[in-house]
């Protein structure tokens, strides 16, 4: 179930070569793309969706906007060495990013998008880490079994100069693919 063993018809069962886990610094000031540039691997991001969401008190409150604002949810899968390893879901307010409805489906790097809107330096609000098992949809996106634990990080990205909240984010990492570094 965990994917460590595979079978070949007429040949037998074999143990898969386990890839080494990638060290990942959990910080809000450097983009995931930049972090992966430092690792010797093939990396790509695929935008899965961009859609407007209905009012959700938690997300609207976190973003500091009222019910009249429009919030867009953008989902991206992070693929490393041809294996989907992380799912990033970002929530952005149209009042901060007026072009988000049109641009959202093309975004593969939030930090690059922010840079294009004049936001250059970032920090994170208080973050929440939890461990869970994947839902059916997450198993499909991350190509993993229901026994692979996932590390879930809820956080936000804030512009250092204006202290404006740019996004609320939920990042889901496969625990079998990463070692996590937390600088305290």
């Amino acid at each position: 179930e965990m994917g460590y063993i595979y079978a070949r018809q007429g040949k037998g069962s074999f143990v898969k070569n386990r890839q080494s886990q990638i060290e990942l610094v959990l910080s809000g000031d450097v983009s995931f793309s930049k972090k992966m540039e430092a690792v010797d691997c093939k990396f790509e991001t695929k935008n899965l969706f961009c859609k407007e969401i209905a009012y959700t008190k938690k997300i609207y409150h976190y973003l500091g906007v009222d019910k009249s604002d429009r919030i867009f949810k953008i989902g991206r899968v992070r693929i490393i060495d041809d294996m989907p390893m992380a799912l990033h879901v970002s929530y952005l307010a149209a009042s901060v990013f007026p072009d988000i409805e049109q641009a959202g489906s093309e975004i593969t790097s939030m930090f690059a998008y922010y840079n294009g809107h004049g936001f250059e330096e970032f920090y994170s609000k208080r973050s929440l880490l939890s461990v869970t098992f994947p839902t059916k949809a997450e198993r499909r996106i991350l190509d993993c079994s229901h026994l692979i634990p996932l590390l879930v990080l809820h956080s936000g990205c804030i512009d250092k100069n204006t202290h404006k909240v740019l996004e609320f984010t939920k990042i889901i990492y496969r625990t079998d693919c990463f070692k996590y570094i937390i600088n305290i």
Side-chain angles (χ1 to χ4, degrees):
E1 270 301 308
M2 293 187 70
Y4 298 145
I5 298 173
Y6 66 98
R8 290 263 167 95
Q9 181 81 24
K11 303 279 185 192
S13 296
F14 304 91
V15 177
K16 281 187 180 178
N17 286 334
R18 297 274 325 259
Q19 68 184 42
S20 61
Q21 292 177 314
I22 297 168
E23 288 189 359
L24 178 66
V25 177
L26 295 179
S27 68
D29 59 344
V30 178
S31 75
F32 187 83
S33 301
K34 291 270 187 233
K35 292 173 188 176
M36 290 300 103
E37 285 176 8
V39 179
D40 186 27
C41 64
K42 179 179 154 194
F43 170 71
E44 69 176 301
T45 298
K46 288 187 181 175
N47 189 304
L48 301 175
F49 56 81
C50 174
K51 57 187 174 186
E52 187 172 355
I53 65 165
Y55 174 78
T56 305
K57 184 178 179 179
K58 176 183 172 183
I59 294 169
Y60 276 66
H61 176 65
Y62 195 98
L63 292 171
V65 298
D66 62 37
K67 287 183 180 183
S68 66
D69 207 339
R70 298 174 66 205
I71 304 298
F72 288 84
K73 176 181 178 180
I74 300 166
R76 294 158 294 131
V77 64
R78 308 306 193 138
I79 303 165
I80 302 166
D81 293 333
D82 299 316
M83 179 195 241
M85 294 189 184
L87 173 62
H88 289 214
V89 179
S90 301
Y91 298 86
L92 287 83
S95 60
V96 178
F97 299 102
D99 69 334
I100 192 62
E101 185 173 13
Q102 294 77 31
S105 61
E106 302 300 318
I107 296 172
T108 56
S109 168
M110 294 309 300
F111 281 23
Y113 177 72
Y114 299 153
N115 292 161
H117 286 78
F119 301 109
E120 301 289 329
E121 295 183 88
F122 316 101
Y123 68 94
S124 291
K125 274 181 118 174
R126 187 180 128 211
S127 299
L128 175 67
L129 281 173
S130 60
V131 177
T132 188
F133 288 97
T135 65
K136 188 175 184 178
E138 291 163 348
R139 288 193 312 267
R140 182 181 46 77
I141 292 168
L142 295 172
D143 191 26
C144 65
S145 84
H146 66 281
L147 293 177
I148 301 291
L150 303 175
L151 181 74
V152 181
L153 173 65
H154 287 94
S155 188
C157 184
I158 299 151
D159 177 58
K160 261 189 185 172
N161 296 322
T162 65
H163 305 288
K164 182 182 290 281
V165 177
L166 303 178
E167 81 174 297
F168 172 72
T169 187
K170 176 182 178 182
I171 307 171
I172 302 169
Y173 299 107
R174 289 180 52 160
T175 60
D176 61 332
C177 298
F178 296 100
K179 291 180 190 175
Y180 307 97
I181 300 168
I182 301 171
N183 295 320
I184 297 177

